[in-house]
Amino acid sequence: MKIEIFGKDYNVSDSLKAITEKKCAKLDRYFGDDENAAVKFIVTLEGDTYTTDMTVVYRSQTYRAEASSDSPFDNIDLVIPRLLGQHRKQKDIWGKSKRGSENVYEEEEAEE
């Protein structure tokens, strides 16, 4: 899993990068088996507000979450659970079976 951290009108500090990579360790359980999974963080500074946009591209699915607050460190704590909730919801949708009962056919005995 590749983690990319970008700053738009903001220089991303080494401590923010380290904390982001540490907190993204949770994502390895869900996206770690695929080497092509890509996580992209974009931190934007607008006035006094930091906006963090997180995008994960995993197989054919794209998950995206965004949070805004006064601290980019707080945004990481908000964005990751939102994204995991999206992944869990998508997994539940694809994992559920269709409504109705299965057709059960009794085998007929062949007369000899």
Side-chain angles (χ1 to χ4, degrees):
M1 184 167 72
K2 296 180 282 185
I3 300 173
E4 300 174 352
I5 304 169
F6 300 104
K8 188 174 179 184
D9 297 332
Y10 175 72
N11 292 328
V12 180
S13 65
D14 292 335
S15 62
L16 181 62
K17 287 181 182 180
I19 289 173
T20 302
E21 290 176 358
K22 182 180 177 184
K23 295 204 179 206
C24 282
K26 291 181 181 179
L27 299 176
D28 284 337
R29 283 186 271 168
Y30 303 100
F31 307 111
D33 61 340
D34 191 7
E35 293 295 326
N36 296 326
V39 179
K40 186 184 289 186
F41 280 92
I42 300 174
V43 180
T44 307
L45 177 62
E46 297 173 357
D48 293 337
T49 305
Y50 292 94
T51 303
T52 302
D53 181 29
M54 180 179 175
T55 306
V56 175
V57 178
Y58 177 68
R59 296 182 183 163
S60 64
Q61 299 292 323
T62 301
Y63 304 98
R64 184 180 175 278
E66 183 177 340
S68 296
S69 71
D70 295 336
S71 171
F73 297 98
D74 293 339
N75 288 343
I76 296 169
D77 294 334
L78 297 173
V79 167
I80 291 176
R82 289 180 187 172
L83 191 117
L84 291 178
Q86 289 178 13
H87 177 68
R88 190 176 319 109
K89 182 177 179 181
Q90 189 70 27
K91 187 177 177 183
D92 287 345
I93 288 172
W94 288 105
K96 289 184 180 176
S97 61
K98 303 289 183 188
R99 288 188 173 188
S101 61
E102 294 183 18
N103 293 333
V104 178
Y105 299 105
E106 296 179 13
E107 293 184 22
E108 295 181 16
E109 295 180 18
E111 294 182 20
E112 294 180 20

